[in-house]
Amino acid sequence: MTTGPDGAPRLSVIVAAYNAAATLEAAVLSVLDQVEVPLECIVVDDGSTDDTPAILAALAARDPRVVPVRLAANGGVSAARNAALDVARGTWLAFLDGDDRLRPGGLARMLREADEGDLLAVVGQRISTDGDRTWYPALYEKDDIRRAGRKSIAANPDLLYYVGPAGKLFHRSCAEGLRFEGRMLGDQPWVVRALVRAGDRIGVVEEVVYEWWRPNPTHYVATITSARTESAALGIEAVGMAGKAFEVASAAFAEAYDPATRARLEGVYAARLVRSDLGPQVRGAVRRNDPLLPGMLDALAGFVDRLPPGAAASSDAVSAELLEPIARHWSAISADARGAFWGLLGAARRADPDVPGHARLAAVGAALRVAAVPVVGRPLAGVVLRTLCAAAEARRRVRGQPAARPAGMHP
C-alpha cells in the first residue's frame, strides 16, 4: 500500500458536504483515522451557508491530507463530486457523504482485497444507523451483495440494487470520462458504468465499511438522503433522473453484453429503481397529501411507458410500489391525483398486461372497488379495475379469506 512514483496518494476519498456543520467533522475524522492507507481526503463544500466552511478550514489546518474545495454556489452532490474528481490524484477512488461515516479499517480491507484479487472495483457492506441502532437495508439482503467473492454485473445482477458510490472502491481506469449528473439519482449511472467496465473483476467483502446516517425523528438532522423525499417537486425530479439513469444503464448493458443478458439486467435495474427510489417518493407524497402528487403520477406514467418491452413485466415492482400505495389511500387523495392514477394504471397495463395477476394487487383490486363502478368517460379504466377486483376476490376465495373491504371504502 505505497504511494505512486510521483508521491501521489494511493486513494482519493471524495466527501461532498452541504450545510453539514453538525456532521462533517465526524465524517472527515472517520477518513483520517484510516492510517493504514496513503490517502487524500478531498472535501467539497457545496456552497454551504452554515459553519461548514469554518469547520472544513480547521480540519485542513490540522491535517495536510485534507484537501478543501469550496464551490461558490450550491450545485448539488453531483457537482460537488465532479469538482473533487477534477483534482483527485489517487489510483483508487472512494466516496463519503458529509453526513455519513466510514468504519475503522474499512478502506484498508477493501484495498487489500483489490490487491490480492487483481480487482478493478471492491464492494463493502453498508449499514444504516439512526444514532441509537443499526440495521442492514432490506433491499441489500441479497446474496450478490452480502456474500463475499469475485463477481460481475452479468453473473450477479442483484449488485444493481447497490449502485450508490458509498462503501466501494473504484480503480481510476473504470471512471475515466465518467461524470455525475443531477441532484437526484445522479450517482447511479456513474456507478453502473464503472461496475460494468470492471467486468468480472469486482470483489465483494463481508465486512461493514460504511455507516449510512438515517436520523431518528427524535434527533433529526437534515441529511443528503432525507432531503430526497421531502417534497413531490424533488420526487418529480427523481422520476426524470430515474429515466435518464435507466437509459444510461441500458446503453452500458448493450455495449458490454449480449441481448438476452441486456434484457435481464434491464429488468433487474427497472425493478430496483421502482422499489428503492420511486416507491418511497410515492409513499412520501401520499403520506403528506402533497399537492404535486398528480404531477408525480404523470411523470411516473411517462417513466413506465419509456421502459423497453419486458422490463416492467419482469417483476411486480410497478404494481406493489407505485399502484398499491395510491389505492390504499384512495379516499384521502385529491380528485386530480385520482385522475392521474388512471394514466399510471394505463401505462402499467401497456408495460405488463398481466398486472391484474400480481399477488400484491389483491389489495389494489379490493381498495379500488368503489372506483370501478362510477368511472365516467373511462371505460378502459373501468374494465381494468373490474378485472383487478375480480382477480383479487377470486384469489381471496381460494385462500378461504373474507372479501376485502378497506376502512373508509364501500363495496
Side-chain angles (χ1 to χ4, degrees):
M1 297 186 185
T2 60
T3 57
D6 58 354
R10 187 152 190 237
L11 171 64
S12 295
V13 181
I14 292 172
V15 182
Y18 174 65
N19 285 350
T23 59
L24 181 60
E25 183 170 16
V28 172
L29 290 179
S30 78
V31 178
L32 301 180
D33 286 345
Q34 314 268 329
V35 293
E36 302 170 70
V37 181
L39 61 80
E40 63 179 355
C41 181
I42 305 172
V43 185
V44 182
D45 171 22
D46 187 21
S48 298
T49 57
D50 64 357
D51 289 337
T52 296
I55 294 170
L56 175 54
L59 289 166
R62 282 159 35 195
D63 195 315
R65 292 175 295 170
V66 177
V67 180
V69 177
R70 168 75 174 170
L71 300 184
N74 176 248
V77 66
S78 290
R81 288 170 178 157
N82 288 337
L85 287 173
D86 289 339
V87 300
R89 299 179 297 147
T91 304
W92 290 88
L93 302 171
F95 296 86
L96 174 69
D97 287 341
D99 44 42
D100 296 335
R101 300 181 190 182
L102 295 178
R103 279 290 187 91
L107 294 178
R109 174 67 186 93
M110 290 192 289
L111 271 177
R112 188 164 60 252
E113 186 74 13
D115 290 339
E116 293 174 356
D118 187 26
L119 303 174
L120 293 176
V122 182
V123 177
Q125 302 302 312
R126 181 175 81 172
I127 60 169
S128 297
T129 179
D130 63 6
D132 297 324
R133 62 193 179 96
T134 60
W135 67 95
Y136 285 100
L139 287 174
Y140 296 171
E141 291 291 347
K142 302 178 184 297
D143 281 351
D144 289 349
I145 297 171
R146 297 291 303 280
R147 185 171 294 176
R150 188 183 181 108
K151 307 194 180 185
S152 70
I153 292 294
N156 308 96
D158 280 345
L159 284 173
L160 291 170
Y161 273 86
Y162 186 15
V163 287
K168 302 176 182 67
L169 291 186
F170 302 92
H171 193 272
R172 191 85 183 218
S173 62
C174 293
E176 289 299 328
L178 300 185
R179 304 293 282 180
F180 293 92
E181 179 184 358
R183 292 176 180 265
M184 303 287 291
L185 311 184
D187 51 2
Q188 293 188 25
W190 194 100
V191 175
V192 169
R193 286 180 289 178
L195 291 177
V196 167
R197 288 179 178 184
D200 65 353
R201 296 169 69 184
I202 301 172
V204 172
V205 299
E206 293 179 340
E207 287 84 356
V208 175
V209 301
Y210 195 99
E211 289 186 359
W212 189 26
W213 181 249
R214 306 298 299 276
N216 188 305
T218 60
H219 42 75
Y220 179 80
V221 176
T223 69
I224 290 172
T225 300
S226 65
R228 292 173 180 162
T229 56
E230 288 179 351
S231 76
L234 286 176
I236 292 170
E237 184 178 348
V239 176
M241 281 305 303
K244 292 180 181 179
F246 184 87
E247 291 174 2
V248 171
S250 178
F253 300 153
E255 183 177 348
Y257 308 121
D258 61 79
T261 301
R262 173 190 181 181
R264 179 165 52 87
L265 294 175
E266 285 176 339
V268 174
Y269 189 49
R272 180 256 185 267
L273 285 167
V274 171
R275 294 190 194 283
S276 184
D277 299 307
L278 303 183
Q281 297 288 349
V282 171
R283 293 192 294 273
V286 170
R287 184 176 61 252
R288 293 187 307 270
N289 198 16
D290 198 302
L292 294 182
L293 177 60
M296 182 188 293
L297 297 182
D298 288 341
L300 285 167
F303 169 81
V304 174
D305 263 334
R306 289 192 296 273
L307 292 175
S314 64
S315 75
D316 70 347
V318 170
S319 300
E321 303 295 333
L322 306 184
L323 298 176
E324 185 177 351
I326 302 299
R328 287 190 179 279
H329 297 85
W330 187 261
S331 62
I333 65 175
S334 69
D336 287 343
R338 293 181 186 183
F341 174 86
W342 304 123
L344 177 57
L345 181 60
R349 285 279 293 173
R350 289 188 291 275
D352 181 8
D354 292 330
V355 158
H358 291 170
R360 291 289 295 272
L361 275 179
V364 173
L368 287 173
R369 183 195 313 276
V370 67
V373 178
V375 176
V376 178
R378 293 190 178 93
L380 176 59
V383 169
V384 170
L385 285 170
R386 281 191 288 273
T387 304
L388 288 172
C389 294
E393 291 310 313
R395 194 173 294 108
R396 296 183 75 86
R397 284 195 298 272
V398 168
R399 295 172 180 168
Q401 297 171 312
R405 187 175 301 178
M409 295 196 173
H410 308 283

